[in-house]
Amino acid sequence: MRSPYGARRLALGLFAFLLAALFLFPGQSQGLLEYLDGPVGQLVRLPLEAVSSLDQGISNMWQQYVALQSVEDENHRLRQEIEWLRGQNNQLREAASATQRLTALLQFKEQALPTMIAAQVIGRDASNRYKSVIVNKGDSDGIQKDMGVITPSGVVGRVVKTTGATSVVLLVTDPNNAIAGLIQRTRDEGIVEGTLQGRAKLKYIPMLSAVKEGDYVVTSGLVGGFPRGLAIGTITGISREEGALFQTAELAPEVDVNHVEEVLIIQAPHGQSVDAATKPDGTGRSQP
């Protein structure tokens, strides 16, 4: 007759075997236990079903993780492509902007003054002693000192120094510059000089002049390297000192000389007149 201890060891061994099969082969064990009946089957069925469900859940989670990794890799690749396309777009936009500026220069050159040469700004004064720029045209291109420098918008400055391949342009905002100006509405003349604040002013306006804020100032064409009628700026303020013989007007330059990139250098003889105020391309403005 078998002892109780022997039966207990047998039961424990069978239970351990079932548990091992449960963990090692959960799917197959569940199918096997479907055919079992009785206390052992009922005892093992519940944990077997739990482990099988856990195994299925882990498998699903792993598949989701793999899918998410694939999506993340794809997103990273797409972000890189977007950054590359943005860079290409910026380069194309800059090229288009440069093309538009050069086209405007050529159109203005053909319509206003044939005797002009286009130049590109290649440097700026880094010492802050003078407000000037360097352009890539010089003696070998026929550029001479005191020639006027403009854009389609208006006056930039004048040439003060040349080398074989470059020229230094003193900007209209430099205090050492002097350009003959004309108030377009009143026809009063004066001298345009730069200021320390990076703007400009019109000096020697007659005291009896009816000049006012908003008046437009153009080149007079009497002296210097500019023909008549090129835009210089707009009057933003007027100073009338007691006892003075003349008025002084503050000017907002028509051209943003701090950001100019391409210019035209006037090679026309002194005294040549072009009434830019009547040009249909917007190079001057007429005032009542």
Side-chain angles (χ1 to χ4, degrees):
M1 181 177 182
R2 182 175 298 178
S3 66
Y5 297 101
R8 185 178 300 176
R9 284 196 299 269
L10 178 62
L12 290 175
L14 180 60
F15 185 73
F17 172 77
L18 292 174
L19 285 179
L22 173 68
F23 286 104
L24 293 176
F25 309 101
Q28 292 83 350
S29 300
Q30 184 177 10
L32 177 63
L33 289 177
E34 288 179 356
Y35 296 97
L36 297 179
D37 196 8
V40 176
Q42 295 297 328
L43 179 64
V44 179
R45 184 180 301 277
L46 291 178
L48 181 62
E49 290 177 349
V51 171
S52 177
S53 176
L54 178 63
D55 176 69
Q56 184 66 28
I58 292 174
S59 177
N60 292 337
M61 290 178 62
W62 174 254
Q63 292 176 357
Q64 293 175 2
Y65 171 77
V66 172
L68 288 175
Q69 279 294 113
S70 177
V71 170
E72 184 176 356
D73 292 341
E74 181 69 12
N75 287 339
H76 180 68
R77 185 183 64 80
L78 290 175
R79 282 195 296 268
Q80 288 181 328
E81 290 184 0
I82 290 173
E83 290 300 321
W84 183 82
L85 290 173
R86 284 177 178 172
Q88 292 292 104
N89 185 47
N90 289 335
Q91 292 179 354
L92 291 173
R93 188 180 302 166
E94 179 62 23
S97 177
T99 300
Q100 290 176 354
R101 292 194 304 267
L102 291 173
T103 301
L105 284 175
L106 292 175
Q107 290 176 348
F108 177 75
K109 177 181 176 181
E110 292 175 357
Q111 296 176 10
L113 290 173
T115 53
M116 293 192 296
I117 183 169
Q120 189 173 26
V121 174
I122 58 174
R124 299 181 185 274
D125 182 68
S127 66
N128 292 327
R129 184 177 179 182
Y130 298 103
K131 293 180 174 63
S132 62
V133 296
I134 302 173
V135 298
N136 64 343
K137 302 295 180 181
D139 291 334
S140 60
D141 304 290
I143 307 302
Q144 300 176 10
K145 186 178 177 181
D146 290 329
M147 285 184 172
V149 181
I150 63 174
T151 70
S153 297
V155 174
V156 174
R158 60 187 177 88
V159 176
V160 294
K161 183 180 179 181
T162 62
T163 65
T166 63
S167 298
V168 177
V169 178
L170 195 66
L171 299 175
V172 68
T173 54
D174 190 286
N176 300 294
N177 211 342
I179 299 172
L182 173 72
I183 301 174
Q184 196 175 53
R185 183 179 62 86
T186 66
R187 316 308 292 176
D188 293 308
E189 297 177 2
I191 299 297
V192 177
E193 296 179 356
T195 67
L196 296 176
Q197 292 74 32
R199 295 172 70 84
K201 60 184 177 182
L202 180 65
K203 300 174 63 177
Y204 310 118
I205 305 171
M207 287 298 295
L208 297 179
S209 171
V211 59
K212 63 181 181 180
E213 292 184 14
D215 279 345
Y216 200 59
V217 178
V218 297
T219 54
S220 68
L222 297 180
V223 293
F226 299 94
R228 178 186 294 270
L230 297 177
I232 299 178
T234 304
I235 294 177
T236 58
I238 302 169
S239 174
R240 299 182 179 92
E241 297 183 3
E242 186 176 354
L245 299 177
F246 301 97
Q247 304 178 71
T248 300
E250 297 177 357
L251 287 180
E254 191 71 13
V255 178
D256 184 1
V257 294
N258 294 320
H259 297 93
V260 67
E261 298 182 43
E262 295 90 16
V263 297
L264 291 169
I265 302 174
I266 302 173
Q267 295 181 299
H270 296 328
Q272 180 173 343
S273 176
V274 173
D275 190 359
T278 63
K279 288 290 176 183
D281 57 356
T283 57
R285 307 179 208 167
S286 58
Q287 295 186 0

